[in-house]
Amino acid sequence: MNLGFNRSNYLPGIIAGTAVVATVLISQPVMAKTAREVARIAVPTTVQINNTLASDKGGSGVIIAKKGKIYTVLTANHVVINPNSEYVIVTSKKKEHKVTEVKGFQNNDSGPDLAVVMFESDEEYSVAPISNSDEAEIGSGVYISGYPLPAGVGSQEREYQFTNGQVTNVRSSNDQGYTMRYDAVTRRGMSGGPVFDVSGRVIGIHGQGDTVGRVQNEAGGRQEEVKTGFNSAIPINTFVGMMSQVGMEKSALKVDEKPAENADAEEVKPGEAQGWFGDFGKDIVKDVIQRGIRRILPF
């Protein structure tokens, strides 16, 4: 699906009434960020989505828009599909916010597995930038951000996970919109979480992971699927092409249309990102407003 992102503009000009000169303006790629730099964007914009009636049915999401005190989170529809459940957003600041509205895009079993949910808050939260997912090709580096479900007995806290991967295939079509394939370490509960390119822009929504069976985890808790490492996401262009169905306009999004640099994602070891920023219970992004100038403190 094409959003209409233009990588070049063709500007013909007639010189002296005889010659036509074509000027091509080529957008320069956005330089790749380090894994830590991408995580600085991913951490404050990625949220947990918890089902108040079923603790094993939670997922993840990403903040993509803000209007006044209302925040919009993009996620997978299967994360919030039960109309009889109440859902709670938990942000990187460990603040809980009740979901006030759910708008799904999946009108049938094969339709795109996407939904947006809204929550209201006086807190200041970052909004994730998005980019043209058509730029993601085989070999493109990606990062996946989300909150896996607890695995151990008695464990209730969901710990943030940030992993690297690489696009392995881009299908022309597939059921539920899952056309972007990549290899990465993912777990249950990360469904609905964002897939970032190497420049820190959202290009997809994670929602499927190939499995080859189930085993009892080492902590003796619930059985875990054995994942192959191959996953699927719905490209962000699919959402942008449908967002008018839920009353959203592209102008509400933070869009960066420049192509990403052709680079691999840096390796991120399991749990490594948690050590980068210390206590995830504190504000991950510290917004300090002094003398009317907003700055971001290092962390």
Side-chain angles (χ1 to χ4, degrees):
M1 183 176 297
N2 195 327
L3 279 75
F5 290 87
N6 294 322
R7 295 189 61 175
S8 64
N9 294 314
Y10 178 69
L11 304 177
I14 300 179
I15 307 299
T18 55
V20 176
V21 178
T23 301
V24 179
L25 303 179
I26 302 176
S27 298
Q28 293 298 316
V30 178
M31 293 194 62
K33 299 180 183 294
T34 66
R36 190 178 296 227
E37 288 172 333
V38 175
R40 287 176 185 268
I41 300 169
V43 170
T45 58
T46 303
V47 300
Q48 303 175 39
I49 302 178
N50 293 323
N51 186 323
T52 59
L53 298 181
S55 60
D56 62 341
K57 300 294 184 182
S60 302
V62 59
I63 300 173
I64 58 164
K66 177 190 178 185
K67 184 176 182 180
K69 297 181 180 181
I70 305 299
Y71 289 89
T72 300
V73 172
L74 180 60
T75 185
N77 187 63
H78 72 261
V79 172
V80 290
I81 196 170
N82 190 343
N84 299 317
S85 293
E86 292 185 351
Y87 297 94
V88 174
I89 297 288
V90 182
T91 67
S92 63
K93 298 181 180 182
K94 301 299 182 183
K95 302 287 186 177
E96 294 189 0
H97 305 285
K98 182 179 178 180
V99 169
T100 57
E101 191 171 8
V102 176
K103 297 179 179 180
F105 292 87
Q106 194 171 24
N107 297 321
N108 53 62
D109 290 342
S110 61
D113 184 22
L114 290 172
V116 291
V117 301
M118 286 73 171
F119 71 94
E120 183 175 348
S121 176
D122 292 324
E123 293 279 344
E124 187 70 24
Y125 293 115
S126 299
V127 173
I130 72 168
S131 191
N132 180 10
S133 53
D134 285 348
E135 296 287 351
E137 301 174 342
I138 294 175
S140 297
V142 293
Y143 296 96
I144 297 84
S145 178
Y147 287 87
L149 294 172
V153 175
S155 176
Q156 295 184 352
E157 185 173 356
R158 299 173 63 182
E159 297 182 349
Y160 178 76
Q161 183 162 314
F162 179 79
T163 61
N164 66 289
Q166 185 179 63
V167 175
T168 59
N169 187 24
V170 180
R171 297 166 170 168
S172 58
S173 64
N174 195 43
D175 281 354
Q176 300 184 343
Y178 286 105
T179 58
M180 184 184 296
R181 298 271 292 167
Y182 47 94
D183 63 338
V185 177
T186 62
R187 287 173 46 201
R188 288 182 69 244
M190 295 180 71
S191 285
V195 177
F196 288 89
D197 67 11
V198 293
S199 299
R201 291 90 53 87
V202 178
I203 57 170
I205 295 298
H206 169 75
Q208 291 183 349
D210 294 356
T211 62
V212 291
R214 302 172 70 90
V215 296
Q216 194 77 20
N217 62 51
E218 294 180 0
R222 69 169 65 92
Q223 287 191 337
E224 292 273 338
E225 295 99 339
V226 179
K227 292 201 170 187
T228 65
F230 289 101
N231 304 270
S232 299
I234 301 172
I236 198 69
N237 289 15
T238 300
F239 162 71
V240 175
M242 301 177 67
M243 61 189 297
S244 61
Q245 295 182 17
V246 294
M248 293 185 67
E249 298 180 357
K250 189 177 173 182
S251 59
L253 307 177
K254 186 177 179 181
V255 180
D256 180 355
E257 61 190 39
K258 293 181 180 179
E261 182 180 358
N262 184 15
D264 293 336
E266 290 186 350
E267 181 181 2
V268 183
K269 297 178 181 178
E272 183 178 9
Q274 295 183 47
W276 289 344
F277 310 128
D279 184 3
F280 271 55
K282 298 178 181 178
D283 293 350
I284 302 301
V285 175
K286 302 178 176 69
D287 291 339
V288 177
I289 302 177
Q290 294 180 341
R291 300 175 186 176
I293 300 176
R294 175 173 171 153
R295 61 190 177 91
I296 305 297
L297 294 179
F299 56 90

